[in-house]
Amino acid sequence: MSARTPSPETSGAPHRAGFACFVGRPNAGKSTLTNALVGQKVAITSNRPQTTRHTVRGIVHRPEAQLILVDTPGLHKPRTLLGERLNDVVRTTWAEVDVIGFCLPADQKLGPGDRFIAKELAAIKKTPKVAVVTKTDLVDSKTLAEQLIAIDQLGRELGLEWAEIVPVSAVGDQQVGLLADLLVPLLPESPPLYPEGDLTDEPEQVMVAELIREAALEGVRDELPHSIAVVVEEMLPREDRPADKPLLDIHANVYIERPSQKGIIIGPKGKRLKEVGTKSRKHIEALLGTPVFLDLHVKVAKDWQRDPKQLRKLGF
């Protein structure tokens, strides 16, 4: 908490609470920003586009406000049924939130992808929009100034009025608090919508599946990112354990689309799958606060991204 934020009791300001979502083309830094604002890992981050599939909500608690962050998949030109469903999720989310943060990386010139999203945003009249210039730690001040001017001009061109334009670096923790300060006044007056201490309303099983998928994506060749889905089949406390030494058994399946991809995920002598297990187990234990036994299996769900029945089964 910064010292300059008076508590609502002393300032007499009404409490505000509402939903904000970050949009932007894939890999614009949306998930990293969500995590930085909430202060804990709630959205999975990966340097591959299209890693976020669920609407993960991170919750920022302040004495005078509660900011609920809805993390949408990146909007893109869809090539599969999954792609179309993801785009629908994005548009529905935009229509329901109180404020939209449009993430534009400082180190990349505005491109057709940004313009495509900006046009869509211009059509949503009522919701205030904040341009968030991400990854400012990667550029010098001249490049940053040019990007800020370009974003301002893009808004003018499309009749898109920015409530604010804010440069941030989630990695360098620069201006992240300021961004929250600017988003809060754009929320409606409301009592808190979630209990103090809640950081996300995602069911734990979904978050565990996302952490496994994040570990499975790391270092995998380019043809795999969209082909991986993870389903946690069960999470049960191990019986006959003393109260002070609990153990949670988690059984999960990693689904891929083709038998040929199995070897990539499992690796020579199972080495890669073992690494995925070790890495994700660490994050899961940190998330759940309990030791975990993780049992992973790799299964083929043929062309699941194009098959409505499989999509439903895998939670889309």
Side-chain angles (χ1 to χ4, degrees), residues 13-306:
H15 188 279
R16 292 179 180 275
F19 294 84
C21 77
F22 293 129
V23 304
R25 57 194 157 92
N27 206 12
K30 301 181 292 288
S31 295
T32 310
L33 190 54
T34 299
N35 292 337
L37 278 160
V38 177
Q40 187 182 332
K41 200 171 174 121
V42 290
I44 72 161
T45 53
S46 154
N47 57 2
R48 312 198 157 277
Q50 278 315 114
T51 47
T52 308
R53 289 191 188 141
H54 291 281
T55 307
V56 177
R57 293 179 173 83
I59 304 165
V60 183
H61 297 274
R62 292 185 154 203
E64 82 287 9
Q66 195 177 67
L67 176 66
I68 298 136
L69 302 167
V70 186
D71 191 32
T72 56
L75 193 74
H76 62 299
K77 296 210 163 75
R79 289 193 301 274
T80 61
L81 180 62
L82 174 66
E84 282 170 35
R85 291 222 178 142
L86 291 180
N87 276 0
D88 291 343
V89 169
V90 177
R91 292 196 186 90
T92 311
T93 305
W94 291 3
E96 290 168 355
V97 296
D98 300 298
V99 55
I100 297 172
F102 183 14
C103 294
L104 299 136
D107 63 331
Q108 295 166 33
K109 283 199 161 28
L110 299 185
D114 299 313
R115 189 167 279 277
F116 171 66
I117 294 170
K119 270 193 181 139
E120 293 260 342
L121 284 178
I124 299 170
K125 293 292 181 219
K126 283 188 183 141
T127 317
K129 294 141 205 100
V130 173
V132 185
V133 187
T134 57
K135 310 187 184 187
T136 57
D137 52 303
L138 301 179
V139 298
D140 57 22
S141 53
K142 182 175 175 286
T143 310
L144 178 58
E146 285 166 3
Q147 187 72 323
L148 293 171
I149 291 164
I151 290 167
D152 183 52
Q153 278 171 340
L154 177 69
R156 284 170 203 270
E157 240 172 84
L158 298 173
L160 176 58
E161 200 179 315
W162 303 118
E164 307 276 356
I165 300 180
V166 198
V168 300
S169 164
V171 174
D173 195 23
Q174 289 160 338
Q175 308 236 86
V176 173
L178 172 69
L179 174 62
D181 290 345
L182 295 171
L183 291 173
V184 163
L186 301 170
L187 303 176
E189 291 180 15
S190 158
L193 302 170
Y194 288 89
E196 180 70 53
D198 279 16
L199 292 175
T200 172
D201 75 346
E202 275 288 356
E204 281 175 346
Q205 245 161 289
V206 174
M207 294 183 72
V208 166
E210 287 285 79
L211 288 170
I212 295 168
R213 199 162 73 91
E214 179 180 26
L217 280 172
E218 227 156 88
V220 167
R221 281 178 291 158
D222 292 334
E223 72 271 25
L224 236 55
H226 306 308
S227 305
I228 297 177
V230 175
V231 176
V232 172
E233 297 297 336
E234 59 177 19
M235 281 171 50
L236 295 168
R238 172 116 19 129
E239 288 175 13
D240 312 327
R241 294 283 292 195
D244 58 341
K245 288 195 176 156
L247 183 68
L248 189 67
D249 284 317
I250 299 179
H251 300 278
N253 290 328
V254 178
Y255 288 96
I256 43 170
E257 295 197 291
R258 295 189 294 283
S260 61
Q261 297 170 334
K262 219 168 172 173
I264 301 174
I265 290 284
I266 294 171
K269 295 190 176 157
K271 186 167 170 263
R272 200 153 183 284
L273 189 62
K274 210 171 179 170
E275 280 168 12
V276 171
T278 308
K279 182 165 270 183
S280 55
R281 198 185 72 236
K282 264 212 224 81
H283 287 309
I284 294 165
E285 290 181 336
L287 173 76
L288 302 177
T290 177
V292 161
F293 171 78
L294 183 59
D295 176 39
L296 284 182
H297 292 274
V298 179
K299 299 195 167 188
V300 178
K302 205 167 156 1
D303 290 333
W304 65 264
Q305 293 188 61
R306 296 169 196 281

